[in-house]
Amino acid sequence: MEIYLDTANSDHVEFANRYPFLDGITTNPSIIAKESFEHKEIMKHINEKVNGKIWMQVTEEKADRMYEQAMELKDWVDHPVIKLPMTEDGLEAAYLLREKNIEVNMTLIYTLSQVVLAAKANVTYISPYIGRLDDQSLQGQQFIQHAKEIIQSLGASTKIIGASIRTTQVVSDLARFGYDAVTVPFPILKKMFHSPLTQEGLTAFQEDWESYMERTEIHKP
Ligand code: E4P
């Protein structure tokens, strides 16, 4: 499963850089808006730090303008994925970009009929927003299971990237059930490393080691 970090924060990007097995960085306009630098500067900085795919979202609303913006964004980084909203214009622009062999992601996916159209267009990725679906009692994990079935039935190569992740449990479930990709916010990535039991065990090991070292110090000839 591909794992991305959903951030544009330079400290988070530095952290991700320590783990080259991570697959890249995803962004959206709200994530960029948390930062103080110019969009292009942020993306170029991320590109210097990260080897994987870097996802950037268009902000234009009409298909031709989205296409033009995407053609500009793609040149900012080495391995771009262009995020487009799942709208009439977004899917039109996505198809044009696919014809140029540019990887595209339909974002803000909330219905299975949107999945049908995106899979029919054979876009590279779709992002169902699992957390936001759950917020509306729309059963995010059941939704992506049905989305997977649709993609398989249509014979599309479209990958599902689980987005809007609120818990580490969802990440483990996606991995367990063979989903293609997930993007996690920084706090969730940090939580994935840790367990209080690991820390407790480590503290006990350290205390035992220190006491052993003190004893052997005493018995030194
Ligand atoms: C990813 O494509 C989305 O931008 C992101 O995961 C949304 O997450 P949120 O619902 O926590 O804002």
Side-chain angles (χ1 to χ4, degrees):
M1 182 172 73
E2 297 164 31
I3 301 181
Y4 296 90
L5 184 57
D6 209 17
T7 191
N9 177 282
S10 60
D11 291 339
H12 300 173
V13 170
E14 283 292 344
F15 183 85
N17 189 31
R18 291 165 56 192
Y19 305 97
F21 56 84
L22 295 174
D23 294 278
I25 298 287
T26 60
T27 64
N28 65 31
S30 302
I31 286 171
I32 298 295
K34 288 182 190 157
E35 306 306 316
S36 319
F37 297 101
E38 200 257 327
H39 189 192
K40 186 174 181 178
E41 204 179 325
I42 294 169
M43 300 321 300
K44 284 194 162 291
H45 172 74
I46 294 173
N47 192 51
E48 277 169 24
K49 298 284 174 189
V50 172
N51 285 325
K53 294 183 186 180
I54 299 176
W55 301 44
M56 296 160 289
Q57 188 164 330
V58 298
T59 49
E60 296 288 347
E61 291 176 11
K62 292 288 168 206
D64 55 345
R65 303 279 297 140
M66 286 179 180
Y67 176 79
E68 282 167 22
Q69 189 184 13
M71 293 303 278
E72 191 189 335
L73 294 178
K74 78 166 176 55
D75 289 333
W76 292 357
V77 301
D78 295 330
H79 305 292
V81 177
I82 300 297
K83 294 176 68 173
L84 299 126
M86 183 55 220
T87 60
E88 292 177 18
D89 284 276
L91 197 56
E92 186 182 344
Y95 193 77
L96 296 173
L97 291 165
R98 285 308 289 143
E99 286 193 318
K100 298 272 180 201
N101 279 326
I102 296 165
E103 295 205 342
V104 296
N105 164 240
M106 300 317 295
T107 191
L108 292 164
I109 295 268
Y110 287 103
T111 72
L112 292 174
S113 50
Q114 290 175 325
V115 175
V116 171
L117 290 176
K120 192 70 187 146
N122 214 16
V123 300
T124 328
Y125 296 92
I126 57 167
S127 320
Y129 275 37
I130 297 170
R132 296 193 201 182
L133 282 160
D134 285 341
D135 289 344
Q136 302 299 320
S137 302
L138 291 172
Q139 301 185 56
Q141 287 199 62
Q142 190 187 70
F143 180 91
I144 55 166
Q145 188 187 325
H146 292 166
K148 193 175 182 183
E149 288 162 13
I150 287 170
I151 290 166
Q152 280 167 353
S153 298
L154 294 182
S157 57
T158 301
K159 296 185 199 176
I160 296 175
I161 174 165
S164 186
I165 302 299
R166 308 264 200 265
T167 66
T168 57
Q169 180 68 52
V170 173
V171 181
S172 321
D173 286 346
L174 293 177
R176 180 173 161 224
F177 295 119
Y179 283 91
D180 305 297
V182 67
T183 182
V184 294
F186 186 66
I188 298 293
L189 179 66
K190 287 283 274 186
K191 277 188 188 164
M192 286 173 69
F193 281 83
H194 301 293
S195 159
L197 295 178
T198 304
Q199 194 51 51
E200 205 178 288
L202 184 58
T203 304
F205 283 149
Q206 278 169 336
E207 283 170 2
D208 289 345
W209 187 254
E210 275 162 29
S211 119
Y212 163 74
M213 290 301 278
E214 275 167 27
R215 264 191 302 111
T216 50
E217 195 70 28
I218 291 165
H219 295 122
K220 260 187 191 163

